[in-house]
Amino acid sequence: MTKDRLIAVVTGGGSGIGRSAALAFAGEGYGVAVADANVEAAAAVALAIEADGGLAIPLHVDVTDAAACEDMIEAITQKFGRLDAAFNNAGITERSLTRGETPPETHLLPLDIWRKVLAVDLDGVFNCARAELPLMLEQGSGAIVNTASMQGHVSIPRSAAYTAAKHGVIGLTKTIAKEYGGRGIRCNAVSPGIVSTPLTSDIINSADYQAPLLAAIPAGRFAEGDDVARAVLWLCGTNASYVNGATLIVDGGYLA
């Protein structure tokens, strides 16, 4: 077990925001458990961290499976003996399940898509937090950050499941903060705007969407994974020691 450094876990750590966060945690000296449903992608990120002199392990986890999330924490406990920061980030969208096609309106949304998005984006956050909290309670400290979205604050047509899930993540985050804040554990959320990742590439590279989306962002650009990762690190760090139950919007001013 490794007790001489801080330890973080990142779900969805094999790509996109999760990959950026895993690398950022490692850059700050954390040992990192890179968890993903795609274990090959997780392994590639862990290898990159170790090649740069860091400490990382890849873990296969399906966040919709509560037992798999418990196994993830057991593996972290066996390897590192502690968990200081948890970034519950794994997520999908309707569009990722419709193979890039514009999702239907609510009354036409297939039930299997509704259930899959909720299972990953909301149940998955709950399953991970439920598994992480006992270890943090045992050590008397820890910081959890859950990935919400700007769609946790506003609605966008043809995204009923994703919007509902992300609103739910914010509510769950507040509940965890209230329940465990007096026992050394903080829980916050991060709400990214439009981030340039494989999950959003078909939208931000589309001639129909790119110009109007950029026009709505005062920053004049789409976010990169590092923009969100830096916010996550801050929320997990000592400079945010009095921040609990908050949702940090990282959207370049879109919602303003």
Side-chain angles (χ1 to χ4, degrees):
M1 293 189 292
T2 303
K3 294 182 181 285
D4 59 348
R5 70 166 78 203
L6 298 176
I7 302 299
V9 61
V10 179
T11 65
S15 65
I17 293 170
R19 180 181 186 278
S20 295
L23 295 173
F25 274 116
E28 291 296 315
Y30 284 76
V32 184
V34 185
D36 203 289
N38 182 341
V39 71
E40 292 82 8
V45 175
L47 186 62
I49 289 171
E50 294 198 321
D52 200 36
L55 176 63
I57 58 169
L59 295 173
H60 176 262
V61 63
D62 173 1
V63 298
T64 69
D65 182 347
C69 295
E70 292 170 2
D71 290 344
M72 174 183 74
I73 298 305
E74 178 61 25
I76 291 168
T77 302
Q78 292 298 318
K79 176 66 177 180
F80 299 119
R82 62 181 300 113
L83 179 63
D84 303 282
F87 182 31
N88 299 323
N89 166 73
I92 59 174
T93 65
E94 287 94 339
R95 186 176 290 268
S96 66
L97 297 176
T98 58
R99 300 180 180 179
E101 296 295 324
T102 300
E105 293 179 301
T106 301
H107 75 291
L108 297 173
L109 184 68
L111 286 175
D112 63 328
I113 291 181
W114 167 266
R115 288 170 178 151
K116 180 64 175 178
V117 173
L118 268 290
V120 176
D121 292 5
L122 182 54
D123 293 354
V125 173
F126 170 77
N127 289 338
C128 288
R130 181 173 175 271
E132 293 152 0
L133 283 163
L135 180 54
M136 291 182 173
L137 284 169
E138 183 180 330
Q139 65 196 28
S141 63
I144 296 172
V145 176
N146 299 322
T147 297
S149 167
M150 66 180 187
Q151 285 178 245
H153 307 268
V154 296
S155 62
I156 294 178
R158 299 176 183 269
S159 64
Y162 187 76
T163 298
K166 295 306 185 179
H167 275 73
V169 167
I170 291 174
L172 175 61
T173 297
K174 292 176 180 180
T175 300
I176 294 171
K178 283 279 191 177
E179 290 179 345
Y180 300 96
R183 286 177 276 179
I185 300 168
R186 296 182 299 107
C187 185
N188 296 290
V190 63
S191 283
I194 303 168
V195 186
S196 180
T197 70
L199 196 64
T200 61
S201 61
D202 64 312
I203 297 177
I204 65 176
N205 293 323
S206 166
D208 294 330
Y209 291 106
Q210 188 178 85
L213 286 174
L214 284 173
I217 302 172
R221 65 175 179 86
F222 298 119
E224 299 294 334
D226 286 345
D227 294 313
V228 183
R230 285 191 291 270
V232 172
L233 255 67
W234 181 77
L235 287 170
C236 289
T238 57
N239 287 337
S241 61
Y242 201 61
V243 180
N244 190 30
T247 301
L248 181 55
I249 299 171
V250 186
D251 70 348
Y254 184 99
L255 292 183

